[in-house]
Amino acid sequence: MLDFTFKILVTDALLYLLVTAIIIFIVYARKHEHLSAPWRQIKNKKLAMSALVILGFFVITGFLDSVHIRQEIKIDNTSKNQQQVAQYSNEVLSLLDLLLTKMRQQTEKTYSAPFAINSFTKEVADGEQGKPVLYYPRLKYGGAHLQAQDSRIYDIGKRLLWALFWTLSVLVFCILLIAKITDSKNNIENKHINIATRLKNIISGNTNTPWLTILLVMSIPVFFISSIAELGPYYHIMGTDQVGNDVLYKSIKSIRTGLLIGTLTTLIILPFAVVFGITAGYFRGWVDDLIQYIYTTLSSIPSVLLIVAAILSLQVYMTNNPESFATLIDRSDIRLLFLVMILGVTSWTGLCRLLRAETMKLRELDYIQAANSLGVRHRRIMSRHIFPNLMHIVLITVVLDFSGLVLAEAVLSYIGVGVDPTMDSWGNMINGARLEMAREPLVWWNLTAAFVFMFILVLAANIFSDAVRDAFDPRLRKA
Amino acid sequence: MENQANNNLLEVTALKTWIDTEGGIIHAVDGVSFNIRPGETLAILGESGCGKSLTALSILQLIPKPAGRIVSGKVMFSGENLLEKSEQDMREIRGRRIAMIFQEPQSSLNPVMTIGQQIKEVIPDRKNKSSVEINKDIVGLLDSVGMSDSVRRINEYPHQLSGGMKQRAMIAMALASKPDILIADEPTTALDVTIQSQILNLLARLKKENNMSILLITHDLGVVSQMADRVILMYAGEVVEDADAVSFFDAPRHPYAQKLFLSIPDRSKRKKKLDIIPGIVPTYAGDYQGCRFSERCDKAWDLCFQERPQWRAQEKNGVRCHLYNNTLEPQETSDKNIEQGLITADEKQDKAETLLDVKQLKVHFPIHKGIFRRVVGHVKAVDGISLKIGRGRTVAIVGESGCGKTTAGKAILQLIKPSSGEVIYDGARLTKITGEELRQLRKNFQIIFQDPYASLNPRMLVGESIAEGLHALKLESSKAAIQTRVKKLLTQVGMPVDSYGRYPHEFSGGQRQRISIARALAVSPDLIVCDEPTSALDVSVQAQILNLLNDLQNELSLSYLFITHDISVVEYLAHEVAVMYLGRIVEFGTAADILDNPLHPYTQALLSAVPVISKTGNTGYKGDSQVLLAGDIPSPSKPPAGCHFHVRCPQATEICRQQYPAETKTGDSHTVFCHLFESDEQH
């Protein structure tokens, strides 16, 4: 009998849907040369693959954080209750939460600096002769295992060495794995080469796919993860926030929020943009006028205004109907979903315009005319002739929009209309840091942690999207 | 080639330009040598992909970098090797001593600068001149290239000029600094035939006046014949023949040259199959053993595949072919020759059953203006044309660009809604039928397009493209049946069956055109509208497609509506010809009527503007025999009053300015719309 049950949040379900869609797309693309060729080109680019590796770690983290469970509550009085109805905790935890249990549970009283073993703020205690004394108390968890303060550096160093050891072991394992995998691919050149030569090729960077670069880039997050595993339970690596929560844990938890906003929004954008864009461009006339009217109206309203209105009305609804939302996490999840939807509704117009213009160009092409003269129906012309020829634009836009949306979340949370305040997100962290920046001495780690995580994600996404655009842009491909 | 070295203006020796591609290094120009003497026109002739343009660009060090690089060779110009010059020194040469004009006047002019501003930039020594002087220079240049209204043109933008005018402006820019050599890269390919003859005459005149040399790059044997003093023929990066024009046109020596002449369609080959050169120009990555033409040559024998032929010079001329090696006896040729023979049993003069009847067809596009998109006028693209196509017959619509011939073709197929008039196909009035009923009728008439690159969906397999009509009209039910049908079609148009599962980008232009034909044939139509199906193809490939169309007509008794601007194709293929000018048919008759006895002044001008391949070579001015048309085609939104042609017509009279001429029958099958013939009948 399992001692937990799965809890699928709405956004989780959508994410699973998206992942399925991506897998289906990959299978489809493998069969279609015009889709798979650009990806093969990306595969051989060093910078793009480095960005992809980093993105991959973010995605895995986000995905682990999207598998939610409720643990069984162990109750002693089972004897009374013969029916043995399993009781599950109201607390919804993700796989990531379970992996980082220590970091999650070890909360201090309030602020503490990175790797600190004493609190950041002074406390009053009764000193000798009943005089109140101000002092920095030891943290409850951070460095609690240390006897003397001096041994801290030594302890951290020792643990980092262990982390390095783990990293190297993972790398060695990966190299062997890659050497094995490249063998199974029926690459004619590689077929007769033994494993030693292949290893040499990988290490000397003499492979089509830049394995050496990938491995080197990969070693950074791997080292980071093993450091967390080594140091996380004993120190607050990035300090703690006002209520004593581990900042690093919060930053990692924020990855899911950022990713969901960046990806799920496109799920909302795509049907609007594709259907409206193609029909407007293909049929012209009054259909075009109507759709143009809709999107010019929509894009002339400031999108922040729309988002504020939508989020506030949702809040009112949630306060009036508390019974619909069982738990806190349900509430914040619905709010996230709503934000994603409203962001999607306000941002499909750009892609729609692009697709409409491109469709208008395509519909005049000879092969569309030929299809017309062969009596092919409109729906089929749009789906078979026009849509596949727009695919590259869709792909480029989706990837380029991703980083913009991650940043949009931060801005919206900062002005208070973003995700739920209880939800971990970089925007909320930055919002919280407003007051911390005004403190003396400065509490810098909250802002820094949010900034570093967001920066790495957005940078990786931008580099990757540049590569995607280059690979799919027909004008660049010719050059 | 090496004689008279001192006399040469430009000497190119063993020039090699390579291009790096993903597939390897392409030897695009591989050891090209030639000389240009002062005042001489040297034509570089060859199909696309032979390295003609790249040779010219290499001379000026303008090759696309970093993909292309000049590997070796010498380009001696007034005692200096241009290839050793720095970029800064080259700038002194380019545009000043060696000028260049390009094929697309459209893209060679900056759309946001006036003509005057653009010419001003190339006026030599302009810093020491006052603006009045510069303006005078510009007007002088524009006058010298025959630009009408030159003072007004200075302040006009490129989009306000017609294609011919733009090319004149380009030539004016090239001439600004009185260059010694003018490199003209396909200067007339994008222009209509009447405009082409204007430009060619202009070039010939300027050459004489300025004693300038011209390096003319072209694929058109007619243009070469009219212009060149000397010809070099290029094939796959090599010069295969170098001869003075007279001997080249009198007796071409290289098999490739001979084949090129044979593959040009004209009247004398009317009942015969065109002699084709199988395959396409290869692009060899890396070195190639043997003669590059060997794979397409029907005179090739073993040696041709093994050893690259040496250059054989004879007096001034030379050729690169083993056939002219005196020490070798040509062995028996492997017989790759295609069957030659009569293809049509006879040309039926009797009236065939009428398949398509077009009556007073009009297509007017409204011109909207203002906020309320008021209709302020119409572009009368097609303005009342009537014609009949018999079963198994080919009717050609001939005319210059903008005359509405393509619109007419699409309107007949109901791809564009006609404004008025009737199209009756086999008893069905297409103009009255809509929706599902029309969709079902569509299998009877199909269309083939001009641009082989735009006519196939790049994202669909060739097989899927061909099967599309079968799916849409539910002509075959099972998947297997469709597949067999498609494979049969592929064989029918001469494509390998395995093209079924490949994408269009893997095929050459000619092959794609075959696939388009297969797609049209899939629904077994009776009528195919061919919209310039060969004008984007090389001569040798054009011959292949024309042969295929001819074969299919005989096999399936198809009717063609052949839309073209190319008179030689009309001569070869058409049974009846309709000449269109500005949306209307000005003359209609059998091919013999129109070509032997053109009545309408426009038809006469059109026919005489076509450059003729004459055996005597450089004809320069054609003199009196040529009816030179002045000016451009007027805009179809504002056609001139009276006869549309009177503005350009050399024989226009008062009545032509007032009244559009009525139809005049001058023979059984010959009708003409012209006042010149009308009067005879009235009296």
Side-chain angles (χ1 to χ4, degrees):
Chain A
M1 183 109 173
L2 288 169
D3 60 352
F4 62 87
T5 173
F6 284 105
K7 159 92 180 172
I8 297 177
L9 297 172
V10 186
T11 48
D12 290 344
L14 285 174
L15 189 73
Y16 300 155
L17 194 75
L18 189 73
V19 171
T20 327
I22 291 172
I23 290 170
I24 290 171
F25 174 77
I26 290 171
V27 172
Y28 176 84
R30 285 181 79 96
K31 282 193 209 149
H32 289 76
E33 179 60 21
H34 62 91
L35 285 174
S36 54
W39 288 113
R40 273 202 303 277
Q41 195 184 328
I42 292 172
K43 210 180 83 179
N44 295 343
K45 280 193 181 154
K46 283 183 182 169
L47 200 59
M49 287 313 281
S50 315
L52 190 64
V53 168
I54 301 290
L55 279 180
F57 277 95
F58 273 99
V59 169
I60 291 168
T61 317
F63 195 75
L64 284 177
D65 203 9
S66 296
V67 182
H68 287 100
I69 57 165
R70 285 163 67 189
Q71 277 171 314
E72 195 176 352
I73 303 171
K74 302 279 188 299
I75 310 167
D76 291 339
N77 52 358
T78 40
S79 51
K80 281 183 199 165
N81 201 340
Q82 291 300 317
Q83 283 168 318
Q84 278 279 337
V85 179
Q87 293 274 320
Y88 294 105
S89 155
N90 254 349
E91 195 184 18
V92 179
L93 292 172
S94 71
L95 291 184
L96 187 75
D97 290 333
L98 297 177
L99 284 175
L100 302 174
T101 304
K102 282 239 165 109
M103 283 170 80
R104 175 167 56 93
Q105 287 173 343
Q106 296 177 348
T107 55
E108 307 291 343
K109 265 189 196 152
T110 180
Y111 291 121
S112 70
F115 289 112
I117 57 172
N118 289 324
S119 173
F120 184 70
T121 47
K122 285 180 181 163
E123 269 184 25
V124 186
D126 289 335
E128 289 161 41
Q129 296 136 12
K131 264 181 149 182
V133 181
L134 283 173
Y135 78 114
Y136 295 104
R138 274 297 284 263
L139 291 175
K140 201 166 159 199
Y141 300 102
H145 62 293
L146 295 177
Q147 298 298 323
Q149 271 222 40
D150 312 340
S151 61
R152 186 175 67 162
I153 304 272
Y154 170 74
D155 186 57
I156 293 172
K158 192 182 77 186
R159 290 178 196 280
L160 281 180
L161 276 180
W162 271 109
L164 199 63
F165 168 74
W166 290 121
T167 311
L168 288 177
S169 341
V170 170
L171 279 187
V172 168
F173 175 74
C174 283
I175 290 177
L176 290 173
L177 194 73
I178 290 163
K180 195 87 190 134
I181 287 173
T182 44
D183 179 32
S184 64
K185 291 262 170 62
N186 50 351
N187 195 334
I188 306 154
E189 285 167 33
N190 276 356
K191 216 164 198 176
H192 307 291
I193 303 173
N194 61 8
I195 204 151
T197 337
R198 275 203 299 275
L199 278 175
K200 218 171 85 188
N201 279 343
I202 290 169
I203 290 165
S204 59
N206 192 16
T207 47
N208 275 338
T209 313
W211 287 120
L212 186 70
T213 318
I214 293 175
L215 287 168
L216 287 178
V217 172
M218 207 177 80
S219 65
I220 298 167
V222 168
F223 178 68
F224 186 69
I225 290 169
S226 31
S227 307
I228 292 176
E230 282 292 323
L231 289 166
Y234 305 101
Y235 295 95
H236 297 297
I237 300 176
M238 285 303 294
T240 55
D241 67 359
Q242 194 173 14
V243 289
N245 287 324
D246 192 289
V247 170
L248 183 65
Y249 170 73
K250 276 181 72 176
S251 309
I252 293 172
K253 285 286 283 179
S254 301
I255 290 174
R256 173 176 186 263
T257 318
L259 283 179
L260 281 187
I261 298 230
T263 52
L264 287 189
T265 308
T266 58
L267 213 62
I268 313 281
I269 291 178
L270 283 188
F272 279 109
V274 169
V275 172
F276 284 164
I278 292 181
T279 39
Y282 183 74
F283 288 113
R284 313 282 292 274
W286 65 268
V287 182
D288 188 23
D289 288 346
L290 183 74
I291 292 170
Q292 270 196 71
Y293 176 77
I294 294 174
Y295 73 59
T296 37
T297 312
L298 202 63
S299 55
S300 57
I301 304 171
S303 53
V304 175
L305 205 69
L306 273 181
I307 294 167
V308 171
I311 293 293
L312 290 184
S313 55
L314 176 78
Q315 257 174 342
V316 172
Y317 178 81
M318 285 199 296
T319 357
N320 292 342
N321 305 282
E323 67 282 356
S324 318
F325 309 101
T327 59
L328 216 58
I329 200 160
D330 276 323
R331 277 179 73 112
S332 56
D333 188 61
I334 291 296
R335 182 156 167 175
L336 175 66
L337 181 71
F338 215 72
L339 184 68
V340 160
M341 269 163 48
I342 194 72
L343 270 176
V345 170
T346 53
S347 51
W348 58 269
T349 52
L351 179 60
C352 181
R353 256 192 211 121
L354 272 181
L355 294 183
R356 170 178 168 269
E358 189 70 13
T359 309
M360 277 162 77
K361 204 178 88 193
L362 286 176
R363 76 189 286 275
E364 298 301 328
L365 283 186
D366 288 346
Y367 60 84
I368 309 278
Q369 299 268 328
N372 264 322
S373 82
L374 284 165
V376 181
R377 287 169 198 279
H378 293 315
R379 202 168 354 125
R380 195 173 154 83
I381 289 183
M382 286 191 277
S383 63
R384 291 276 295 178
H385 288 283
I386 293 179
F387 181 63
N389 283 296
L390 296 174
M391 207 50 204
H392 64 285
I393 298 183
V394 173
L395 214 65
I396 291 166
T397 317
V398 164
V399 183
L400 279 177
D401 275 0
F402 172 80
S403 47
L405 288 165
V406 174
L407 294 174
E409 184 275 327
V411 173
L412 290 175
S413 299
Y414 179 76
I415 60 171
V417 288
V419 295
D420 197 85
T422 59
M423 191 162 202
D424 292 313
S425 92
W426 295 316
N428 277 340
M429 286 170 74
I430 293 169
N431 187 20
R434 253 195 295 195
L435 292 174
E436 292 164 7
M437 298 306 284
R439 279 179 71 110
E440 182 61 42
L442 199 70
V443 176
W444 49 269
W445 47 89
N446 230 331
L447 186 71
T448 311
F451 170 76
V452 167
F453 270 80
M454 205 157 72
F455 175 74
I456 292 173
L457 175 62
V458 170
L459 182 69
N462 278 342
I463 290 173
F464 185 65
S465 61
D466 262 357
V468 170
R469 195 191 48 202
D470 288 356
F472 278 88
D473 195 328
R475 272 166 301 175
L476 288 171
R477 219 183 320 166
K478 269 178 206 152
Chain B
M1 274 176 77
E2 59 287 330
N3 54 353
Q4 292 182 332
N6 312 329
N7 219 344
N8 291 329
L9 186 59
L10 182 83
E11 282 177 40
V12 176
T13 323
L15 181 70
K16 284 190 182 186
T17 304
W18 292 359
I19 296 196
D20 292 318
T21 63
E22 278 177 29
I25 298 166
I26 289 177
H27 297 197
V29 178
D30 206 7
V32 166
S33 309
F34 59 86
N35 305 320
I36 303 178
R37 277 187 286 275
E40 181 187 56
T41 302
L42 177 78
I44 303 186
L45 177 69
E47 294 178 275
S48 54
C50 282
K52 315 184 290 285
S53 292
L54 218 57
T55 306
L57 292 174
S58 301
I59 293 172
L60 290 177
Q61 287 196 39
L62 284 174
I63 48 166
K65 279 176 180 162
R69 63 200 147 96
I70 299 169
V71 181
S72 65
K74 264 203 308 196
V75 177
M76 298 301 287
F77 176 68
S78 59
E80 289 173 296
N81 187 356
L82 294 187
L83 298 182
E84 284 167 0
K85 288 201 168 239
S86 68
E87 180 62 26
Q88 202 155 14
D89 293 338
M90 272 315 285
R91 244 176 268 153
E92 295 299 311
I93 304 245
R94 282 182 212 140
R96 283 166 220 269
R97 309 209 39 206
I98 304 179
M100 188 157 183
I101 54 174
F102 298 90
Q103 174 175 352
E104 270 305 332
Q106 195 81 26
S107 51
S108 312
L109 289 169
N110 186 341
V112 296
M113 282 167 76
T114 62
I115 299 298
Q117 284 170 332
Q118 299 191 45
I119 297 178
K120 194 172 149 189
E121 287 194 332
V122 294
I123 299 263
D125 205 21
R126 64 179 179 280
K127 277 177 194 136
N128 303 326
K129 284 182 179 170
S130 70
S131 60
V132 179
E133 275 177 306
I134 290 177
N135 254 358
K136 229 171 107 190
D137 283 357
I138 298 174
V139 173
L141 276 170
L142 288 179
D143 282 337
S144 75
V145 295
M147 190 94 104
S148 56
D149 237 351
S150 50
V151 180
R152 191 163 53 91
R153 300 286 185 204
I154 290 181
N155 295 318
E156 287 193 334
Y157 287 91
H159 73 266
Q160 291 169 294
L161 304 183
S162 67
M165 283 296 162
K166 274 183 232 168
Q167 196 59 291
R168 281 174 198 268
M170 283 300 299
I171 295 173
M173 284 171 73
L175 292 178
S177 50
K178 301 221 177 331
D180 299 323
I181 301 177
L182 177 70
I183 300 179
D185 189 353
E186 305 263 11
T188 57
T189 308
L191 303 176
D192 279 311
V193 62
T194 56
I195 310 296
Q196 162 169 303
S197 69
Q198 290 172 6
I199 298 289
L200 292 181
N201 279 326
L202 170 69
L203 285 175
R205 196 192 81 212
L206 292 170
K207 175 188 133 186
K208 231 178 228 167
E209 282 175 8
N210 302 346
N211 193 29
M212 174 175 71
S213 302
I214 297 180
L215 179 61
L216 179 74
I217 297 167
T218 184
H219 67 280
D220 190 333
L221 276 166
V223 172
V224 174
S225 161
Q226 193 177 332
M227 299 290 292
D229 302 311
R230 233 188 137 67
V231 182
I232 63 170
L233 178 66
M234 281 188 76
Y235 186 80
E238 283 180 335
V239 175
V240 292
E241 185 162 352
D242 179 342
D244 58 276
V246 178
S247 43
F248 182 75
F249 283 95
D250 187 39
R253 302 202 298 162
H254 197 277
Y256 176 54
Q258 294 166 356
K259 279 289 199 177
L260 272 186
F261 280 101
L262 289 173
S263 60
I264 296 172
D266 69 30
R267 293 188 70 191
S268 60
K269 297 163 191 160
R270 207 174 152 75
K271 291 176 187 171
K272 297 179 199 125
K273 244 189 162 134
L274 285 175
D275 207 344
I276 59 162
I277 310 176
I280 53 160
V281 180
T283 44
Y284 291 120
D287 283 319
Y288 183 72
Q289 278 195 330
C291 170
R292 294 177 180 218
F293 188 59
S294 56
E295 281 171 15
R296 300 175 74 192
C297 183
D298 53 9
K299 290 185 176 137
W301 75 96
D302 292 347
L303 183 69
C304 297
F305 294 97
Q306 287 152 8
E307 194 183 304
R308 185 179 178 213
Q310 291 301 307
W311 183 255
R312 319 242 160 247
Q314 289 177 345
E315 293 170 31
K316 288 180 189 171
N317 303 338
V319 65
R320 190 185 290 282
C321 182
H322 284 310
L323 284 173
Y324 297 92
N325 187 347
N326 301 328
T327 58
L328 281 169
E329 271 305 306
Q331 296 169 14
E332 50 169 311
T333 58
S334 58
D335 206 58
K336 282 208 279 180
N337 209 343
I338 29 90
E339 78 283 17
Q340 245 192 330
L342 298 176
I343 44 162
T344 37
D346 62 324
E347 262 188 66
K348 286 171 235 149
Q349 282 298 330
D350 54 324
K351 284 262 186 297
E353 171 203 354
T354 303
L355 186 68
L356 182 86
D357 192 357
V358 180
K359 286 179 185 163
Q360 284 302 314
L361 186 73
K362 288 186 184 176
V363 183
H364 292 183
F365 297 113
I367 307 169
H368 297 285
K369 250 195 183 152
I371 303 173
F372 299 107
R373 294 165 58 78
R374 216 154 32 89
V375 176
V376 292
H378 284 94
V379 176
K380 293 174 181 168
V382 179
D383 200 19
I385 63 165
S386 306
L387 54 87
K388 282 184 179 143
I389 303 177
R391 199 177 281 280
R393 307 282 285 178
T394 302
V395 175
I397 299 185
V398 194
E400 294 177 277
S401 59
C403 75
K405 50 190 195 305
T406 296
T407 313
K410 286 186 178 168
I412 287 170
L413 296 187
Q414 307 299 308
L415 290 174
I416 297 176
K417 205 144 184 53
S419 312
S420 68
E422 273 183 4
V423 179
I424 300 168
Y425 174 84
D426 211 5
R429 297 172 74 169
L430 299 184
T431 32
K432 297 277 182 289
I433 297 172
T434 50
E436 189 58 24
E437 209 180 331
L438 179 65
R439 213 173 72 83
Q440 289 304 328
L441 274 174
R442 286 208 177 278
K443 70 169 192 299
N444 297 310
F445 35 90
Q446 284 302 312
I447 183 164
I448 309 169
F449 297 94
Q450 170 177 6
D451 183 358
Y453 292 90
S455 58
L456 291 171
N457 185 346
R459 311 287 195 227
M460 269 166 89
L461 295 177
V462 166
E464 291 175 334
S465 280
I466 296 174
E468 191 154 48
L470 300 174
H471 277 295
L473 298 171
K474 304 212 165 48
L475 297 178
E476 294 276 358
S477 44
S478 75
K479 261 194 173 166
I482 287 178
Q483 204 153 3
T484 349
R485 178 84 172 265
V486 170
K487 284 182 177 162
K488 212 184 119 202
L489 283 162
L490 281 169
T491 331
Q492 202 169 10
V493 297
M495 291 288 291
V497 174
D498 68 354
S499 7
Y500 185 93
R502 289 159 71 185
Y503 283 98
H505 71 87
E506 297 173 51
F507 297 99
S508 69
Q511 287 174 313
R512 285 171 192 231
Q513 209 58 294
R514 285 171 192 269
I515 296 166
S516 302
I517 294 172
R519 176 177 60 189
L521 286 178
V523 292
S524 354
D526 296 318
L527 170 73
I528 297 183
V529 174
C530 306
D531 188 0
E532 310 239 18
T534 59
S535 55
L537 305 174
D538 281 318
V539 185
S540 67
V541 181
Q542 162 172 298
Q544 298 170 9
I545 297 294
L546 290 178
N547 275 350
L548 174 66
L549 288 173
N550 239 333
D551 288 345
L552 291 170
Q553 181 163 52
N554 291 326
E555 237 171 85
L556 310 167
S557 78
L558 294 171
S559 305
Y560 292 137
L561 179 65
F562 210 94
I563 297 165
T564 185
H565 67 273
D566 189 341
I567 304 290
S568 62
V569 174
V570 174
E571 287 176 331
Y572 173 67
L573 206 70
H575 297 118
E576 277 118 22
V577 182
V579 182
M580 264 184 96
Y581 186 76
L582 224 59
R584 297 191 182 178
I585 291 177
V586 294
E587 190 167 359
F588 185 84
T590 61
D593 287 337
I594 301 284
L595 300 169
D596 294 340
N597 184 24
L599 294 175
H600 198 284
Y602 177 64
T603 317
Q604 291 168 355
L606 198 64
L607 291 178
S608 79
V610 179
V612 180
I613 301 166
S614 78
K615 293 225 160 178
T616 51
N618 183 0
T619 44
Y621 289 107
K622 280 194 186 170
D624 299 336
S625 67
Q626 186 174 17
V627 187
L628 253 188
L629 282 186
D632 296 303
I633 303 185
S635 155
S637 62
K638 266 188 248 150
C643 174
H644 292 346
F645 187 58
H646 82 256
V647 194
R648 298 172 80 194
C649 182
Q651 301 173 54
T653 56
E654 195 48 40
I655 189 163
C656 301
R657 292 184 189 92
Q658 288 157 5
Q659 203 183 338
Y660 196 85
E663 182 175 353
T664 314
K665 258 195 169 325
T666 57
D668 269 355
S669 51
H670 199 165
T671 54
V672 61
F673 293 78
C674 183
H675 287 301
L676 291 175
F677 306 95
E678 212 170 37
S679 47
D680 298 346
E681 233 171 52
Q682 277 168 0
H683 294 303

